Amino acid sequence: CVDVAWGERKALSGSTDGGIMLWDLDACTRVPMQGHVVWISDVKVDSDARYAVSGSIDGMLRVWDLRSQSCVRTMQGKWSDVKCIAVHWDTG
């Protein structure tokens, strides 16, 4: 899965092995970020490429600070897995 912040020329991808990559589309570089250990089912990145959310098939949601490339919040609900993510980015 992939989501792109076109204005900032950044992309975030999730893979079946639990890996997440932050891509710089201008420099054609990538930075791996650790956190999930199973299949990433969806990722969403805000338009400023500051924060992102990822979800995996083990029901885990993670909020990422893309500037520090670190997980800042982990959430596990009563759901069995995360199939897709919709986010309303409140910047106020």
Side-chain angles (χ1 to χ4, degrees):
C1 53
V2 176
D3 195 26
V4 179
W6 288 109
E8 296 297 318
R9 307 286 297 152
K10 304 283 186 198
L12 192 69
S13 65
S15 69
T16 58
D17 66 358
I20 292 181
M21 293 284 179
L22 176 61
W23 299 83
D24 182 317
L25 301 178
D26 289 327
C28 296
T29 58
R30 63 182 181 166
V31 175
M33 299 190 309
Q34 303 297 319
H36 292 283
V37 294
V38 297
W39 188 310
I40 307 297
S41 53
D42 202 8
V43 293
K44 293 291 183 251
V45 61
D46 74 335
S47 61
D48 296 330
R50 182 164 183 197
Y51 293 104
V53 178
S54 59
S56 60
I57 63 168
D58 64 356
M60 186 73 63
L61 286 168
R62 292 185 180 273
V63 178
W64 301 89
D65 180 328
L66 297 180
R67 293 182 181 164
S68 66
Q69 291 119 24
S70 62
C71 179
V72 294
R73 181 159 301 182
T74 302
M75 295 169 274
Q76 177 102 36
K78 296 183 183 202
W79 48 83
S80 60
D81 61 350
V82 175
K83 292 187 175 44
C84 61
I85 300 170
V87 178
H88 173 74
W89 300 103
D90 183 4
T91 59

